[in-house]
Amino acid sequence: MKILFIASEVAPFSKTGGLGDVAGALPAALAALGHDVKVVTPRYADVKDPRLTPTGHSVRLRFPFGEQGGPILAVRQAERHEVLFLENERFFGRPGIYGDAFGEFGDNHQRYAYLSMGALQAAQRLQFIPDIVHLNDWQTGLAAVALRRGFQHTPLSRARCVMTIHNLAYQGQFGKDIMGELGLPWDLFTAHDGVEFYDTVNFLKAGLTFADAITTVSPTYAREIQTPELGCNLDGLLRRHQGRLVGIVNGIDAHEWDPATDTLLPARYSPGDMSGKAVCKRELLRRMGLPDDEAPVLGIVSRLAWQKGVDLLMDVLPTALQADLRFVAVGSGEGHYEEGLRALRARFPKQVGVHIGFDRGLSHLVEAGADFFVMPSRYEPCGLNQMYSLRYGTVPIVRATGGLVDTVEGGLDGNGILFEAFHPAALLAAIRRGLALYADPPRLEAFRRRGMERDFSWAVSARRYETLFFTLRKE
Ligand code: ADP
Ligand code: GLC
């Protein structure tokens, strides 16, 4: 099949979170199954890969606010896997992906309308007529609409469209005046099943409504988003469409995240020889300015957002740190969480290490050097860090929600520790279970081994997408 994959971030070129990881790895896995995959994404100002090559083609789109265009550049990742970058100085020439220190960019509706429609036009220009157009999150939702309205008389219209929800809470909602601004036909707003959502324009809803199939990134999250509690006001729509909604758990990039070959680590290790993990722990403590000793280390690497439950962790840590425990955090995001982490560090300078910022090398070092990795998420569509942790022999302590349920095994002979209630007592009890496990080396060893031996590579999940794509084509 020919697959056109559209995403607003694609690792290793651009990344704010797991979407970037998935947009880097899933297309590669589909290409490895023999499909032709082209990924389309913006060329943000920070994308400076020396392999970027002009295709000789460009995008040109007419909007009521003026014509917008720019060249299409490409990086070939593998024989059947190419990443196309849309260059446009006005929309993507500034630093930042979705926003900057002052908040979200005010023209994101224009920027991502440009990505969505520009990606379809790029495929046309390159004469790549896809069987499947695979969209990801709200930034690409308008492409589902454009396939049916705008490109309906072109060869692209025979493509089946799949929309993947990586996070239902981010919907791309804008005032209805953008209908005219972007030149979208008004009947799309007034139609019963259109782009309108509580009198606003909702890009994600548009994608969900016009796509032929909807996926999300774990089976548990697929069920949860059909409930009012986690449905973000779209649960009704998702229940109506439940026949074409499926949860497919993410995989991990098994080359980037392999403790046996990871060059970002000071030492490598594998289930047969774990000595390198101790070297990583020592280096992690050194980097975080903490004393080098045998105490257990609890780590976190996270976007600092409400979703991630950092506040719950802050509630519990002053008590948890009464035990002989170290805590290390790498993250960036909302200012009050950053402040909270810095304050915790100031209060417990010998036990807490904090790095505020986005740091790929440190994120690997935490996965390798920590003994436990904590994810007290309020909700978690899939989560990748817990899988990285398992692979690195670091026991995850996670809240039983979304993809965390589908990837971490609790119980006495599991590979991680799960807790149910989003409540300080429940998290504290889970951390204490971790400390008890740490005090019992043979049992800890067994937990680690079971985690490291589980296969989280993309091969299995890519097959599930493939099956879905084949089914859609037959419909
Ligand atoms: P989400 O996409 O909701 O942020 P995931 O667990 O799916 O959560 O993916 C997060 C990804 O972003 C992981 O690859 C993680 O290592 C990375 N990440 C998050 N924060 C940082 C940071 N401050 N520095 C480096 N990597 C980070
Ligand atoms: C989102 C979710 C995260 C998921 C990632 C990749 O950012 O918050 O749980 O792992 O997308 O699908």
Side-chain angles (χ1 to χ4, degrees):
M1 285 179 280
K2 287 192 167 59
I3 301 165
L4 182 70
F5 189 99
I6 314 179
S8 56
E9 52 184 271
V10 179
F13 308 101
S14 56
K15 165 170 161 179
T16 67
L19 169 61
D21 288 344
V22 173
L26 171 58
L30 287 165
L33 293 176
H35 306 294
D36 275 324
V37 191
K38 292 203 193 297
V39 180
V40 189
T41 195
R43 188 205 177 168
Y44 298 109
D46 296 338
V47 179
K48 296 198 179 90
D49 196 295
R51 294 172 302 162
L52 276 171
T53 315
T55 60
H57 296 277
S58 57
V59 162
R60 203 142 288 286
L61 294 168
R62 232 172 294 127
F63 291 102
F65 58 87
E67 195 174 78
Q68 287 299 320
I72 307 167
L73 307 175
V75 171
R76 184 163 293 287
Q77 294 288 57
E79 195 194 333
R80 296 174 177 282
H81 175 201
E82 190 175 41
V83 185
L84 301 173
F85 295 86
L86 304 189
E87 197 170 83
N88 177 292
E89 180 56 31
R90 165 172 168 165
F91 291 143
F92 307 127
R94 62 189 88 157
I97 294 186
Y98 307 119
D100 58 19
F102 302 102
E104 299 268 293
F105 295 133
D107 58 351
N108 275 346
H109 57 295
Q110 295 181 354
R111 299 171 76 231
Y112 292 111
Y114 183 83
L115 170 65
S116 299
M117 294 164 194
L120 299 181
Q121 200 182 62
Q124 264 182 334
R125 298 273 202 259
L126 294 163
Q127 297 186 5
F128 181 78
I129 305 305
D131 300 288
I132 298 291
V133 174
H134 189 167
L135 309 178
N136 296 276
D137 277 357
W138 74 264
Q139 291 88 350
T140 58
L142 285 188
V145 183
L147 269 179
R148 306 288 169 248
R149 297 283 296 266
F151 288 81
Q152 73 272 35
H153 301 305
T154 73
L156 251 71
S157 65
R158 74 181 179 98
R160 313 300 288 175
C161 180
V162 176
M163 173 100 222
T164 296
I165 303 168
H166 296 265
N167 194 331
L168 190 67
Y170 300 87
Q171 299 182 359
Q173 265 182 274
F174 304 98
K176 58 187 167 192
D177 47 306
I178 72 148
M179 293 297 291
E181 192 185 323
L182 296 177
L184 298 170
W186 183 247
D187 68 279
L188 283 172
F189 192 82
T190 51
H192 171 61
D193 246 346
V195 307
E196 185 272 343
F197 182 73
Y198 297 98
D199 210 34
T200 68
V201 180
N202 184 317
F203 280 25
L204 180 65
K205 183 192 169 191
L208 299 176
T209 304
F210 283 84
D212 298 298
I214 303 169
T215 75
T216 188
V217 289
S218 70
T220 297
Y221 193 60
R223 285 191 297 277
E224 290 171 342
I225 55 178
Q226 297 179 51
T227 66
E229 196 198 343
L230 288 178
C232 302
N233 289 324
L234 284 170
D235 48 296
L237 180 142
L238 291 165
R239 281 195 301 276
R240 277 203 304 288
H241 292 290
Q242 63 179 223
R244 52 188 193 88
L245 165 64
V246 44
I248 302 176
V249 73
N250 287 331
I252 66 173
D253 182 333
H255 299 292
E256 155 125 21
W257 295 96
D258 181 354
T261 55
D262 192 334
T263 51
L264 295 167
L265 300 180
R268 276 144 291 280
Y269 57 93
S270 57
D273 177 7
M274 292 289 281
S275 54
K277 188 164 169 63
V279 178
C280 295
K281 179 169 176 177
R282 215 168 304 131
E283 174 65 8
L284 175 63
L285 291 168
R286 195 189 65 75
R287 289 281 297 277
M288 290 290 183
L290 293 173
D292 176 1
D293 57 25
E294 297 301 313
V297 174
L298 180 68
I300 185 169
V301 177
S302 185
R303 284 186 300 116
L304 301 176
W306 182 82
Q307 167 192 354
K308 301 294 179 183
V310 193
D311 44 340
L312 189 67
L313 196 57
M314 306 285 208
D315 280 352
V316 161
L317 278 171
T319 311
L321 287 166
Q322 286 168 12
D324 193 19
L325 173 69
R326 308 280 172 266
F327 172 68
V328 298
V330 176
S332 62
E334 293 172 27
H336 54 116
Y337 295 131
E338 296 184 351
E339 287 313 307
L341 284 171
R342 287 200 181 99
L344 193 74
R345 156 95 189 161
R347 186 168 158 199
F348 298 96
K350 293 207 167 64
Q351 285 178 279
V352 173
V354 171
H355 176 89
I356 301 295
F358 198 92
D359 188 320
R360 177 163 167 254
L362 255 188
S363 73
H364 282 243
L365 188 61
V366 172
E367 292 293 3
D371 298 297
F372 299 95
F373 192 98
V374 63
M375 296 178 74
S377 305
R378 282 190 166 81
Y379 70 93
E380 196 61 73
C382 179
L384 299 172
N385 279 311
Q386 78 282 11
M387 293 190 262
Y388 303 152
S389 303
L390 288 166
R391 189 114 206 267
Y392 280 64
T394 299
V395 178
I397 299 178
V398 304
R399 175 144 182 269
T401 182
L404 299 173
V405 176
D406 299 332
T407 53
V408 178
E409 293 159 33
L412 286 178
D413 52 4
N415 55 26
I417 295 170
L418 290 127
F419 66 98
E420 293 283 337
F422 189 84
H423 190 278
L427 173 55
L428 190 60
I431 293 176
R432 289 189 170 141
R433 271 154 66 202
L435 295 177
L437 182 62
Y438 192 78
D440 184 352
R443 211 158 66 84
L444 176 66
E445 205 45 52
F447 263 68
R448 286 185 164 155
R449 181 177 299 273
R450 285 190 292 267
M452 292 180 86
E453 281 168 357
R454 188 159 155 184
D455 180 7
F456 287 110
S457 64
W458 264 105
V460 178
S461 293
R463 283 271 182 223
R464 300 218 164 97
Y465 280 101
E466 179 187 57
T467 306
L468 170 70
F469 296 166
F470 277 133
T471 318
L472 288 172
R473 279 187 63 204
K474 285 201 214 96
E475 275 176 6

